[in-house]
Amino acid sequence: MTEDAAGPWLVAGLGNPGPGYAMNRHNVGFMVADLLAERMGGRFKRAAKAQAQVVEGRVGPPGPGSRRVVLVKPMSYMNLSGGPVNALREFYKVPPQRVVAVHDELDIDYGTLRLKLGGGDNGHNGLKSLTGAFGRDYHRVRFGIGRPPGRMQVADYVLKDFSSAERKELDYLVDRAADAVECLVAEGLERAQSAYNS
């Protein structure tokens, strides 16, 4: 049985629904998911089985090297992401080890990527919700957004749009994060870490 015959991967971009949140730092997971959908030639549609939008497609080189992927954007707000993601994970019969969460990360400098399997939630409400729903043994693609300046509260910082200076690099960095997700799914964590962990 080929690895792909074991079923799809589920890639969840984390964020908050609605145009008011679209360019927030907290929504970088949605940005990466949107780019991956565009690359797969798909459009997000409302999921019948969960409060989420989904796209099904393939990533990786054409042929036996490509992998089936279900892209998910939970429409439940960040702190309730686990419910919709888990409902789809169960529907598509995806084990936690084939789930990838793409999310913002405060403890990493802006634009730096870190990929890992398992671990804590580091105070991230989206991860806390996923872990509560199906355990911690899923992959994370952590997109650094840096710490808030001065005395700004974390909650205010993550719900602010990227600054104009950050936006100059944002398209490139989202593109690189999408590359990292594709590499992780198609070639495995070790290969993706050596190529993209900076």
Side-chain angles (χ1 to χ4, degrees), residues 24-198:
N24 286 183
R25 293 183 177 93
H26 222 20
N27 268 45
V28 76
F30 273 18
M31 296 173 200
V32 174
D34 285 338
L35 179 57
L36 286 166
E38 196 180 303
R39 289 181 180 184
M40 290 179 353
R43 294 178 69 121
F44 277 101
K45 297 182 176 71
R46 227 170 102 204
K49 305 288 172 194
Q51 191 181 356
Q53 293 182 348
V54 294
V55 178
E56 294 181 50
R58 300 188 82 86
V59 302
S66 76
R67 298 278 177 262
R68 279 178 63 213
V69 169
V70 180
L71 286 176
V72 180
K73 293 198 300 185
M75 292 287 120
S76 56
Y77 291 97
M78 179 68 86
N79 58 353
L80 299 171
S81 301
V85 172
N86 196 43
L88 290 164
R89 188 188 72 76
E90 289 177 343
F91 175 72
Y92 287 100
K93 299 180 173 56
V94 179
Q97 297 80 6
R98 291 169 78 99
V99 174
V100 182
V102 186
H103 64 91
D104 58 305
E105 178 63 63
L106 285 160
D107 286 337
I108 302 175
D109 290 341
Y110 174 65
T112 299
L113 291 178
R114 291 270 195 285
L115 285 74
K116 69 175 188 171
L117 174 63
D121 57 55
N122 206 19
H124 192 290
N125 288 330
L127 296 183
K128 199 176 290 182
S129 182
L130 294 188
T131 298
F134 54 88
R136 61 182 59 207
D137 293 332
Y138 55 92
H139 289 87
R140 298 101 192 274
V141 174
R142 304 154 73 206
F143 186 109
I145 60 167
R147 302 292 306 181
R151 296 178 178 215
M152 187 188 288
Q153 294 295 309
V154 164
D156 295 333
Y157 178 71
V158 299
L159 293 175
K160 280 203 176 337
D161 287 359
F162 284 102
S163 70
S164 53
E166 288 168 336
R167 279 203 295 273
K168 288 178 181 149
E169 285 186 284
L170 187 59
D171 286 350
Y172 164 76
L173 296 169
V174 167
D175 196 67
R176 190 163 181 272
D179 290 346
V181 171
E182 290 182 342
C183 183
L184 167 61
V185 169
E187 301 180 52
L189 179 61
E190 217 169 283
R191 171 84 183 83
Q193 284 176 324
S194 66
Y196 294 99
N197 274 15
S198 39

Side-chain angles (χ1 to χ4, degrees), residues 3-24:
E3 187 188 347
D4 205 38
W9 283 72
L10 191 148
V11 175
L14 301 186
N16 287 307
Y21 296 101
M23 289 306 293
N24 286 183

